[in-house]
Amino acid sequence: MSAVLKMPDAARGNLPGHRVLLGTERKLLLDCGVGFGPYTLAYQTYGALNAQRSNAILVCHALTGDQFVAEEHPVTGKAGWWATMVGPGLPLDTDRYFIICANVLGGCMGSSGPMEINPATGKPYGLGFPVITIGDIVRSQKMLIDHLGIDKLFCVIGGSMGGMQVLQWVSSFPDNVFCAVPIASSARHSAQNIAFHEVGRQAIVADPDWCGGNYLEEGKRPHRGLAVARMAAHITYLSEPALHRKFGRALQDRAKVTYGFDADFQVESYLRYQGSTFVDRFDANSYLYITRAMDYFDLAAEHGGVLSRAFTGTKVRFCLVSFTSDWLFPTPESRAIVHALNAAMANVSFVEIQTDKGHDAFLLDEPELDKVLKGFLEGCAEHAGLKRG
Amino acid sequence: MRVDLQVIADMIEPRSRVLDIGCGDGALLDYLGQFKQVDGRGIELSQAGVNAGVAHGLSVIQGDADTDLKDYPSDAFDYAILSQTLQATRDPRQVLQELVRIGRRAIVSFPNFGCWKVRVHLFRFGRMPVTAALPEKWYNTPNIHLCTILDFVELCDAIGIRIERGMVFTKASAGRPIRSKRIANLVGEQGLFVLQRR
């Protein structure tokens, strides 16, 4: 496992893209009751905002994603996490739309989060950072959109936790969104998913280098704990058939098993690699905070337990997408949202895509997903009166 | 577009709200959106059909008539259309009741099992009829609740559904108004009805 932190924490201020200080006049009132601010959001944009300011698409990233959607990642050097989807001529066409993606509040790519310096103390927030929710994340994004002078987003789109933000957006700000695309998502985090998150969090806090959350001040990093959290989570993003297809029981650089606890199997080696590369780009405390935000998400609970009330009278056009082999956010989760939208008489499309790639399918090359999104967005652009780019 | 779909399309008032259940690739919805500025939604069982519809910019969800109508509020649509699908539902009576609840009008078309061709086939060969309108064998047909025009009319009566209009399709004529139910039941290959709840 990597012993060096590839990027010094100070470098977070020198990332490409934009940073804006928000909540300077009015603090962000968090669900936990704390007034928070001013706070920083780091964001990236692609394409150009048109004169009517009507072609903006907000992309909401997933748990461990960030604002570097369509460019080489400044820390890992890998392609952007949705480079297959965002770009000239792609479904989120940067020749036509203005794409915005902000690192979530509580994140670790330049937005205010537990690894950033608390201006009140001059030290990293650590566990002094307030516990945030999906609602807080979305309200912080709304301030960014206001700051950019955009009244109505053409589209809000995202997968997994990004989809939760999409649902929260249309529920909290129905008049500020024209169309919404929650992919492989849910209106509430399931008990099983909370359970998986708890495993990850416990792995982090059990690492002595976590130092009660103060590892930055102690000059340590809970790399082992964070890597284990990532390994466990990574399994949930795949599917049994995909793992079998990729690795089967194949051995790693050896002809037979070693009768020991080295990574005999390719799948072990792969997971160890996933864990070790993750710790170079992600902050352990951020992982605690953001998984917690997902756990707390329950859109129906805000509306007396009736999900359709979250969408009453909505004019937003919806397209929901799920994947057949996704067992983390399985199709019935999306279908429950569709039923609620039908009850609210919303305009909704729903597509289940056949794939064995599991939850991560939304990040991978899925031609059917491209076709559906392209068609949906083009139809919506026509209804919104958006001119061709 | 299929002949019966064209007849249905001609019945729809411009700018109305339409739910097409079993919308296939969305041909009817596409037509209605283009030529009648209809606010259209579709439900389709086959994934390929749904994906094609959505990729074409239509509002379509994957689902079926038996399970996915109950969520809609009453009078959600001006028209709820069920063409050539009733005979494939598990509970046609329930589906018809849901149709007239969620639609101010329901438009239903189905293959008529009372058609003389079907009768002759059964009479001559003593086997389940296979015709142009009913092309599958008994063991692989999705059509599990076949009925005749007379059967359909009787069910509507029994469950308090008013038939506003009835039409019959033969090879020679597409969509003639039904005058005599008995003759329609004998000559019609398909029946098409506009329904309202009483």
Side-chain angles (χ1 to χ4, degrees), chain B residues 116-129:
Chain B
W116 67 270
K117 287 182 193 166
V118 175
R119 300 189 199 194
V120 166
H121 191 111
L122 189 59
F123 183 76
R124 272 182 68 191
F125 305 112
R127 303 226 179 158
M128 283 302 283

Side-chain angles (χ1 to χ4, degrees), chain A residues 7-19 42 109-111 115-116:
Chain A
M7 189 181 61
D9 298 335
R12 301 293 196 203
N14 303 322
L15 292 168
H18 318 273
R19 275 165 78 105
M109 274 298 153
S111 290
M115 73 179 277
E116 295 288 318

Side-chain angles (χ1 to χ4, degrees), chain A residues 151-171:
Chain A
D151 175 51
K152 191 162 193 165
L153 290 162
F154 168 62
C155 180
V156 185
I157 183 170
S160 196
M161 184 183 89
M164 291 177 169
Q165 294 164 62
V166 173
L167 294 169
Q168 186 74 56
W169 256 98
V170 295
S171 166

Side-chain angles (χ1 to χ4, degrees), chain B residues 161-193:
Chain B
I161 291 176
R162 194 169 81 80
I163 295 177
E164 192 185 79
R165 249 171 114 174
M167 290 173 119
V168 67
F169 289 70
T170 65
K171 212 167 209 133
S173 72
R176 230 170 350 139
I178 293 178
R179 290 200 193 82
S180 156
K181 278 180 258 180
R182 297 215 158 268
I183 292 174
N185 196 40
L186 188 62
V187 302
E189 288 177 5
Q190 284 180 50
L192 188 155
F193 293 86

